[in-house]
Amino acid sequence: MGLQKSLAFRKKEMYLYMSLFFNAFLLAMIISDYVLTVGHENSTAVTSNWTLAILSIHVASYFLWLLGFIYANHAKIPIFKRLAIWTGVINAVTFFLRIVFLFAFIDYRPEAFSAE
């Protein structure tokens, strides 16, 4: 009975791990966009064609974090709670960096997405 409960909780831990994986991917995409836009002045290689998909991944990451945070608080495991809090902070920072990037370099984007 105890092993089955432990395995059920392990499945619930996956929500935070998946959120962290999405955050790592999103952070890598932000860094890539920044380097290509500023360093190489190459606006065709950025993820502007994938903006909706990128923002959808942000939403999925927030949803997974929320589920993981709820299960971490319910489990009352201190390390898991801290992981949940830090995952939420990383989620917020990654989303904030994406929004700042989108607004800071809006003139570098293709005409279909231009502010004018």
Side-chain angles (χ1 to χ4, degrees):
M1 185 72 147
L3 179 63
Q4 189 176 27
K5 185 176 181 181
S6 174
L7 290 176
F9 183 69
R10 295 269 181 212
K11 287 191 286 187
K12 294 175 182 176
E13 286 180 15
M14 289 303 295
Y15 293 127
L16 282 179
Y17 298 138
M18 288 175 16
S19 179
L20 281 172
F21 174 76
F22 283 155
N23 279 321
F25 171 74
L26 292 167
L27 193 58
M29 297 307 294
I30 292 170
I31 292 169
S32 170
D33 286 349
Y34 183 78
V35 167
L36 290 173
T37 302
V38 174
H40 299 288
E41 296 179 2
N42 184 2
S43 63
T44 60
V46 297
T47 58
S48 63
N49 295 332
W50 300 94
T51 302
L52 183 62
I54 295 289
L55 293 177
S56 298
I57 294 172
H58 276 289
V59 170
S61 180
Y62 268 115
F63 181 71
L64 290 169
W65 167 74
L66 185 61
L67 286 173
F69 185 76
I70 290 169
Y71 288 129
N73 281 329
H74 187 277
K76 294 183 174 76
I77 299 174
I79 293 174
F80 197 44
K81 281 185 185 180
R82 277 185 253 141
L83 177 66
I85 290 169
W86 280 108
T87 304
V89 169
I90 293 169
N91 258 321
V93 168
T94 306
F95 184 71
F96 178 74
L97 289 174
R98 172 58 61 182
I99 296 302
V100 167
F101 176 80
L102 288 176
F103 283 115
F105 297 104
I106 198 160
D107 294 333
Y108 291 95
R109 302 179 76 185
E111 285 297 319
F113 297 104
S114 181
E116 298 164 340

